[in-house]
Amino acid sequence: MGQVHVLEHPLIQHKLTIMRSKDTPTKEFRELVQEVAMLMAYEITRDLPLAPIAIETPVAPTVAKVIHGKTLAIVPVLRAGLGMADGILQLIPNAKVGHVGLYRDPETLEPVEYYCKLPQQMDLREVIVVDPMLATGGSASAAIEAVKRRGSTSVKLMCLVSAPDGIARVQRDHPDVDIYVASIDERLNDHGYIVPGLGDAGDRLYGTK
Ligand code: PRP
Ligand code: URA
């Protein structure tokens, strides 16, 4: 069973609280999504392997550490995941980026895939699927399925706000995937929105309704 990690860092929690407020405008919300995603990526990449290389400083030759092994691919779920990918790329600018386009049918709440473009050699990459909201879990599960179809065997899921249902769904469908969230909220409402949540993440990011 994949592990669930709730990232309790005070900066993450403080910024998430500002995002949740209905009075936070689009510009600030967008900046906060990027900042929180960057902070979460810092935590998630703690276990990246390091290898020694020989370099010369201006003072002396030495052996120092660099990240080694599988290269990263960030896969935002369109559209709201884009805001998170921008934040992660500020920290890891060399990461490749794939896109999975999904929307949630408002009646059935089931995800509908409309786009999928992923980097080459997905089987050789550490993949981080990013989406701010993990509600029923249908979208995240479908996005993970899409990257696995292309050969990925090492996948993590990173979301800002989650509901217990969404976590259970991803754990059931993808028991090999670790889940990283900033919060596990109480529940879903009758429309599949996370309570208390932060509303519709895509609309809040892009100022749509
Ligand atoms: C939102 C969100 C997730 C999905 C979560 O996207 O960004 O992708 O809902 O819900 P689920 O866990 O029940 O699948 P939405 O369908 O609103 O599309 P958008 O990003 O284009 O606004
Ligand atoms: N999608 C969102 O954007 N917000 C929710 O609360 C649930 C799904």
Side-chain angles (χ1 to χ4, degrees):
M1 178 74 76
Q3 290 192 352
V4 181
H5 306 261
V6 182
L7 304 182
E8 301 276 9
H9 193 291
L11 284 172
I12 294 175
Q13 295 303 320
H14 179 85
K15 289 172 191 289
L16 178 60
T17 299
I18 302 171
M19 289 173 60
R20 286 184 189 275
S21 168
K22 63 180 172 47
D23 297 325
T24 300
T26 301
K27 174 178 176 291
E28 201 180 337
F29 186 90
R30 196 180 292 147
E31 289 165 356
L32 287 162
V33 168
Q34 290 189 18
E35 289 169 16
V36 173
M38 192 191 312
L39 292 166
M40 291 182 76
Y42 179 78
E43 295 278 356
I44 289 179
T45 50
R46 265 181 193 287
D47 59 354
L48 287 181
L50 293 168
I53 60 160
I55 58 162
E56 282 187 33
T57 76
V59 179
T62 188
V63 174
K65 295 168 192 164
V66 288
I67 291 172
H68 176 76
K70 289 186 170 185
T71 52
L72 276 180
I74 302 160
V75 178
V77 179
L78 304 179
R79 100 201 118 130
L82 283 177
M84 293 178 75
D86 289 343
I88 301 172
L89 284 171
Q90 289 180 37
L91 198 65
I92 314 168
N94 287 329
K96 298 281 191 272
V97 183
H99 296 89
V100 179
L102 295 166
Y103 69 87
R104 205 171 64 151
D105 184 293
E107 301 298 328
T108 64
L109 301 184
E110 281 303 311
V112 181
E113 185 177 318
Y114 60 87
Y115 188 76
C116 184
K117 186 88 177 170
L118 299 171
Q120 303 269 310
Q121 298 187 305
M122 287 296 281
D123 52 324
L124 302 180
R125 301 182 190 282
E126 292 272 358
V127 178
I128 307 178
V129 173
V130 298
D131 193 332
M133 309 306 279
L134 180 62
T136 64
S139 303
S141 181
I144 295 167
E145 190 60 47
V147 300
K148 285 185 173 176
R149 266 198 321 263
R150 282 282 298 274
S152 299
T153 54
S154 179
V155 184
K156 291 175 174 168
L157 173 66
M158 173 172 145
C159 302
L160 303 185
V161 181
S162 66
D165 298 38
I167 288 179
R169 168 90 184 254
V170 173
Q171 285 188 319
R172 188 194 74 201
D173 293 353
H174 302 288
D176 55 312
V177 170
D178 281 356
I179 304 170
Y180 296 79
V181 297
S183 174
I184 304 175
D185 281 14
E186 285 163 29
R187 61 186 170 87
L188 299 178
N189 68 15
D190 292 343
H191 305 287
Y193 275 84
I194 299 174
V195 180
L198 49 72
D200 186 305
D203 285 348
R204 295 204 61 191
L205 261 171
Y206 297 111
T208 49
K209 249 277 171 264

